[in-house]
Amino acid sequence: MQAQDRGAAALGQLVEGLPVAVRVLVIGAHPDDEDTRLITWLTRGHHVDVAYLSLTRGDGGQNLIGDELGDALGVIRTEELLAARRIDGAHQYFTRAYDFGFSKTSAESFEHWPHDSVLEDVVTVVRAFRPQVIVSVFSGTPRDGHGQHQVAGIVAREAYDAAMDTVRFPRSATAGYGAWAPLKFYRARSYFNGEGATFTYNAGELDPVLGKSFAEIAAESRSQHKSQGFGVIARLGAQTGSLAREASRARGAPADAKRERSIFDGIDTTWRRLLPLVTRPADKTAVERLVAATSDARRSLSLYDPATGVPALERAHAALAQLAADAQAARQSMNGDVLVSVSDGLQRVTRALLMARGIAIEATVQRDEVALGDSIPVEVTVYNRGSGRVSIESASPMDAALTRGAGSAPTGHEAVIAPDSARTDTVYVRGDSLSQPWWLATPRRGDMFSVPIDGRSDDVRDAGVRVRVALDGGQVVTDVPVVRRYGDPVRGAVERPLMVVPAVAVTLDHTMELARANTPLNRTVQVHLTAGVTQPRDVQVSLTLPTGLHADSSSRTAHLGGFDATATVSFSITGQLTPGHYEIAALARSGGDTFAIGYEAIEYAHIRPQKLYRRAAVTVEAVDATLPPRLDVAYVRGVGDNVAPMLQELGVPLTVIDPARLTTVDLSPFTTVVIGTRAYEAHPELAAANARLLDWVRHGGTMVVQYGQYEMTAPGRLPYPISLARPANRVTDENAPVRILVPNDPVLTWPNRITADDWTGWVQERSLYMPSTIDSHYTTPLSMNDPGEPPNSGAILETRLGAGTYVYTTLSLFRQLPAGNPGASRLFLNLLGVGEAPRAVGAADGAPTPR
């Protein structure tokens, strides 16, 4: 928990912001695109209700902290965004768009994302959140670089114009939300050095209550993007941000955007804005009472004696509760601005009132998982640390995954909690659906997730209980997350959310494996079982195998000893497969039930834990491939690098080497050293050992280096220099034609002859961070390019170095092998053995090979 979320700092922020009722929506393409300085300046500095809409979850990026890519990386980056929002105080939304990887144009991106579908999602969020102001991070032009950035800039402006068009987007198309007309549209100019800005702000301004500038808080928020290596230093002093107004419907705003003193010029940011929007006299009176009460709360609150603000806060809460009840009763006819403003205001006032009254509420469980269909007791404890009286009225599940279970203890206002005491009531909740990333509940369709967005932000989806408490001045309702709390010797207090899991989870080690076709296969399949129920049980496990494979047993039985108990059942698989892809599936039976799904646990200290569910099955890609003889590989893993185990599955003798050992490890037993993607960036020890590695090559070794970024241009990093443009060249079209420049090059002929078929079925991209200039000592056997761009021969660079061979490749092999691509697998085997090929590359040390 951040300091600004508790105590005097939190209460002061809340009460200071109660008279403000205005919303800003910031729109970008990826989890690390948001302008955290702008967001924090608005939320913490001006108490604006802000949301960030990211078109994607960053699934197509890379991962500096682990091996997860694709959907799993999208889960990590989603949680990193939510961690950032917990610091800067904004909400978080997404569309259904899947990050398919780097693209160069908006047209290419719209080939993956149907234009109207993405726009419809953005319009849905605009109608649900109902911002007065929209800020687009991007310009919507080629200047944005990434094609997905361009799309974000395009649909942001289109949504500003289309959110009020009920013919193009009827209410039924946008999760039931009606038309909305944002009043202003801005584009962020901070990324363009303020060029064209019409408004500037200082995010370096100090908040004396928080004891930090808004830029410092923004740096903490930004640093949550750890998977992307975005940790930043919180700098002191003035830090200017800028915006450019592009459109306005605000009647009181100056026609000349440069004359604006605030982005809210012409917009009533107070509760008085609602007066003409409510029709019932009682509601108009409630708005007037709310205006007075929030103003009184600001004047009366003493942070040394928070109870001084309670009477005004109780009046504000009563006014908002009346408006909320009337809004709920007339939801379809009530003005949308009123609905959203009152809902948000009631949450803020409730938090402030509970803080001022010294009331804390916890909902805890003894274990953080409950089996699907089972119930678990939740202890709801209300602490009265103030001077007034409080009682628990009710507690019930608020999450769709949970329902009220049998055995819940009754609550009522006879449960009075005196000052300086607490009361605990028990509520039993039942797990009705698996806890999982909601957008992954059904399979993706192309590059769009299939689960429709419902207009709710991702920061309000925790499993929890809704608690109603009675105070001296009336009742308040608040949502409390259900967590397990425990002490860790290193991390201290740890909270884990309650999750619904299968009674028996069944998981295999991998979802994709490689094997050499027409070669005897002898492999162990391990089936991992995890109990979600408390009662011990026996579990019978069997495999379904493709023709050509046989198991050493038709089934095996394991005993699970109760909740969180684990067991592993192993089968020895033998046989032979012809080229193609096959499936091995596991099935568990226990107590008359069958189980066939498990999960990948995603656990990092800076984010909440998640579970990524999958079938208990592995696809085996049988590759028609030949191993180079006498191969023995040392592998230094890079960033998001899952290549080494795939090579081992193809039969490559391979040892993973810790980069820290490279200055001392004996390399003489190895024929080939492979350096993983971006390993020089991730491991400074590798750069220190580079001269030793090159010397090892000169004495007869083969070194294969997978792509890096600009660190690869450092002097002495490669045996001969390269340069990279800014931005670097890429071939983002995974189906781009590949031209063979050196047909007889051993990389393309030995021991596997590479044909046109080997370039089919690639995923996401062909090549990335390709050199723009290449020293003439290198042979470049391939050429490729995206449509409309000049050919680039930087996919594979190879040269003789002394008695050995050096290869640098920018091909996205780190994506292709884990995806089971047979052609990329055959090519990688050729790279490993190029030093032993019948025709060596080059002629002598430093001698160029004819191109």
Side-chain angles (χ1 to χ4, degrees):
M1 180 179 288
Q2 302 298 312
Q4 60 261 28
D5 291 328
R6 62 182 185 268
L11 181 57
Q13 281 264 306
L14 277 170
V15 173
E16 186 69 20
L18 288 181
V20 181
V22 68
R23 294 174 295 280
V24 173
L25 178 65
V26 180
I27 301 178
H30 304 108
D32 50 22
D33 290 340
E34 80 270 37
D35 189 335
T36 50
R37 292 193 306 177
L38 171 64
I39 289 173
T40 308
W41 179 76
L42 287 168
T43 57
R44 302 298 188 186
H46 295 271
H47 315 293
V48 176
D49 194 13
V50 180
Y52 174 54
L53 169 59
S54 175
L55 297 192
T56 77
R57 298 174 184 271
D59 331 72
Q62 295 185 38
N63 185 358
L64 292 179
I65 62 173
D67 297 336
E68 299 90 349
L69 295 173
D71 287 340
L73 178 58
V75 171
I76 292 172
R77 298 187 69 183
T78 294
E79 287 297 330
E80 288 179 337
L81 265 184
L82 296 178
R85 298 293 81 82
R86 288 191 288 273
I87 292 171
D88 58 40
H91 303 289
Q92 183 60 53
Y93 290 90
F94 297 91
T95 75
R96 291 170 294 158
Y98 174 79
D99 181 0
F100 55 85
F102 189 86
S103 66
K104 297 177 180 178
T105 66
S106 59
E108 180 186 351
S109 294
F110 281 130
E111 290 177 3
H112 292 263
W113 304 334
H115 193 146
D116 278 355
S117 296
V118 176
L119 178 57
E120 180 182 288
D121 285 0
V122 177
V123 169
T124 300
V125 172
V126 170
R127 288 181 175 180
F129 185 63
R130 297 190 176 266
Q132 281 71 36
V133 176
I134 293 177
V135 178
S136 173
V137 174
F138 298 109
S139 68
T141 69
R143 189 175 186 182
D144 297 328
H146 199 320
Q148 294 179 11
H149 292 171
Q150 298 174 44
V151 166
I154 291 169
V155 297
R157 176 55 197 268
E158 291 177 341
Y160 171 82
D161 295 324
M164 54 184 171
D165 186 346
T166 56
V167 175
R168 184 177 182 186
F169 296 106
R171 183 189 289 265
S172 60
T174 56
Y177 297 99
W180 178 246
L183 297 177
K184 289 187 178 182
F185 182 86
Y186 290 84
R187 294 196 189 273
R189 307 308 298 173
S190 301
Y191 294 141
F192 299 111
N193 299 315
E195 180 185 323
T198 60
F199 175 76
T200 59
Y201 60 92
N202 176 22
E205 179 184 353
L206 176 68
D207 185 300
V209 175
L210 298 177
K212 296 178 181 180
S213 72
F214 308 120
E216 288 179 85
I217 299 170
E220 295 176 32
S221 172
R222 186 75 170 163
S223 295
Q224 300 310 300
H225 296 293
K226 300 183 189 301
S227 68
Q228 305 305 297
F230 274 11
V232 294
I233 296 174
R235 294 189 296 110
L236 304 182
Q239 295 186 46
T240 301
S242 56
L243 301 170
R245 194 182 84 186
E246 188 173 294
S248 174
R249 301 186 183 100
R251 293 180 180 177
D256 183 357
K258 292 185 178 180
R259 295 180 58 193
E260 284 192 331
R261 302 183 64 184
S262 164
I263 64 172
F264 302 113
D265 281 0
I267 300 174
D268 187 347
T269 63
T270 72
W271 292 105
R272 291 191 179 279
R273 186 181 71 253
L274 305 189
L275 279 171
L277 305 179
V278 295
T279 56
R280 295 177 67 248
D283 289 341
K284 290 184 181 293
T285 301
V287 173
E288 293 285 8
R289 294 203 317 269
L290 177 60
V291 171
T294 54
S295 179
D296 289 347
R298 290 176 69 178
R299 285 196 304 269
S300 61
L301 177 68
S302 167
L303 296 181
Y304 290 99
D305 183 11
T308 56
V310 167
L313 290 172
E314 287 180 336
R315 294 197 304 274
H317 184 274
L320 281 165
Q322 177 187 323
L323 289 168
D326 291 347
Q328 190 64 34
R331 190 166 186 83
Q332 293 301 317
S333 59
M334 182 69 77
N335 179 274
D337 189 6
V338 177
L339 287 170
V340 177
S341 299
V342 168
S343 175
D344 173 70
L346 187 58
Q347 292 179 38
R348 289 189 286 144
V349 168
T350 298
R351 282 188 62 205
L353 181 55
L354 292 174
M355 284 185 184
R357 288 287 307 264
I359 296 169
I361 306 176
E362 293 180 342
T364 59
V365 285
Q366 293 300 308
R367 61 182 196 272
D368 50 44
E369 294 176 351
V370 59
L372 186 65
D374 276 3
S375 294
I376 187 172
V378 178
E379 293 187 343
V380 179
T381 303
V382 177
Y383 300 87
N384 184 1
R385 300 180 292 181
S387 57
R389 288 161 56 91
V390 61
S391 62
I392 305 177
E393 291 287 308
S394 64
S396 58
M398 53 165 274
D399 188 82
L402 302 175
T403 58
R404 193 175 184 89
S408 296
T411 56
H413 43 276
E414 75 280 357
V416 175
I417 306 167
D420 294 322
S421 61
R423 177 184 172 90
T424 298
D425 282 3
T426 300
V427 176
Y428 282 81
V429 297
R430 173 187 167 93
D432 278 354
S433 61
L434 295 176
S435 301
Q436 62 179 319
W438 63 269
W439 63 97
L440 297 176
T442 58
R444 179 163 38 92
R445 298 190 190 105
D447 289 321
M448 296 288 288
F449 293 109
S450 60
V451 180
I453 63 171
D454 57 11
R456 291 188 298 158
S457 64
D458 268 47
D459 47 299
V460 295
R461 296 176 185 263
D462 288 336
V465 293
R466 184 156 291 161
V467 181
R468 183 184 300 273
V469 296
L471 311 177
D472 293 333
Q475 294 183 348
V476 299
V477 178
T478 186
D479 294 336
V480 183
V482 177
V483 299
R484 174 194 170 212
R485 302 187 70 214
Y486 66 96
D488 181 271
V490 176
R491 297 170 59 190
V494 177
E495 291 188 354
R496 293 178 65 90
L498 176 63
M499 292 187 174
V500 182
V501 298
V504 176
V506 187
T507 310
L508 303 186
D509 287 326
H510 308 115
T511 58
M512 172 65 70
E513 292 186 1
L514 297 174
R516 279 188 293 146
N518 302 318
T519 301
L521 183 145
N522 190 339
R523 188 166 296 183
T524 298
V525 173
Q526 293 187 319
V527 182
H528 305 286
L529 307 173
T530 304
V533 292
T534 56
Q535 303 82 9
R537 59 169 63 196
D538 289 330
V539 182
Q540 184 185 60
V541 181
S542 59
L543 295 182
T544 301
L545 298 174
T547 301
L549 296 185
H550 309 278
D552 60 346
S553 176
S554 60
S555 66
R556 285 198 164 89
T557 299
H559 181 74
L560 286 177
F563 173 72
D564 213 27
T566 60
T568 297
V569 176
S570 297
F571 294 87
S572 179
I573 306 299
T574 57
Q576 190 166 296
L577 296 171
T578 57
H581 51 271
Y582 305 86
E583 182 180 87
I584 298 174
L587 185 68
R589 295 179 174 87
S590 179
D593 297 320
T594 60
F595 306 94
I597 62 169
Y599 53 79
E600 172 188 354
I602 296 178
E603 304 261 356
Y604 290 96
H606 67 297
I607 59 175
R608 300 176 309 172
Q610 280 281 16
K611 288 178 168 57
L612 192 62
Y613 281 89
R614 65 193 193 204
R615 288 181 58 235
V618 57
T619 298
V620 178
E621 185 70 36
V623 182
D624 185 9
T626 301
L627 285 182
R630 299 180 299 279
L631 198 60
D632 199 346
V633 174
Y635 197 104
V636 179
R637 298 182 67 184
V639 170
D641 187 353
N642 295 306
V643 169
M646 311 306 289
L647 293 175
Q648 290 174 316
E649 289 165 4
L650 290 171
V652 173
L654 185 146
T655 303
V656 174
I657 302 293
D658 186 337
R661 296 181 55 228
L662 282 173
T663 56
T664 57
V665 67
D666 181 11
L667 297 175
S668 61
F670 301 108
T671 61
T672 308
V673 171
V674 179
I675 308 297
T677 56
R678 296 173 66 181
Y680 284 93
E681 175 188 358
H683 306 300
E685 314 94 319
L686 178 57
N690 196 55
R692 181 175 187 246
L693 290 171
L694 293 179
D695 190 58
W696 174 81
V697 175
R698 291 186 180 95
H699 285 82
T702 298
M703 186 171 174
V704 178
V705 179
Q706 298 175 71
Y707 99 96
Q709 297 187 351
Y710 295 97
E711 71 277 4
M712 304 309 295
T713 63
R717 187 59 47 84
L718 272 67
Y720 304 106
I722 61 171
S723 68
L724 274 71
R726 290 185 181 270
N729 297 320
R730 302 172 182 244
V731 178
T732 62
D733 182 354
E734 63 270 30
N735 298 311
V738 177
R739 292 173 295 277
I740 306 302
L741 303 181
V742 187
N744 293 323
D745 192 289
V747 163
L748 304 177
T749 59
W750 189 86
N752 303 288
R753 181 166 290 279
I754 303 302
T755 69
D757 289 343
D758 292 304
W759 301 106
T760 62
W762 283 50
V763 297
Q764 189 159 317
E765 62 212 349
R766 287 278 195 217
S767 188
L768 59 170
Y769 285 85
M770 304 173 77
S772 55
T773 63
I774 301 170
D775 189 273
S776 61
H777 289 88
Y778 292 108
T779 296
T780 55
L782 300 176
S783 175
M784 58 188 69
N785 56 273
D786 278 329
E789 296 188 355
N792 190 310
S793 58
I796 296 178
L797 284 62
E798 46 180 315
T799 186
R800 289 288 289 176
L801 190 63
T805 304
Y806 183 97
V807 178
Y808 180 65
T809 178
T810 61
L811 291 169
S812 64
L813 299 173
F814 75 103
R815 292 195 193 277
Q816 310 312 319
L817 268 70
N821 183 276
S825 304
R826 286 159 43 84
L827 178 61
F828 210 122
L829 294 178
N830 286 8
L831 294 175
L832 297 178
V834 67
E836 300 294 323
R839 184 184 69 81
V841 175
D845 188 5
T849 301
R851 300 192 182 188

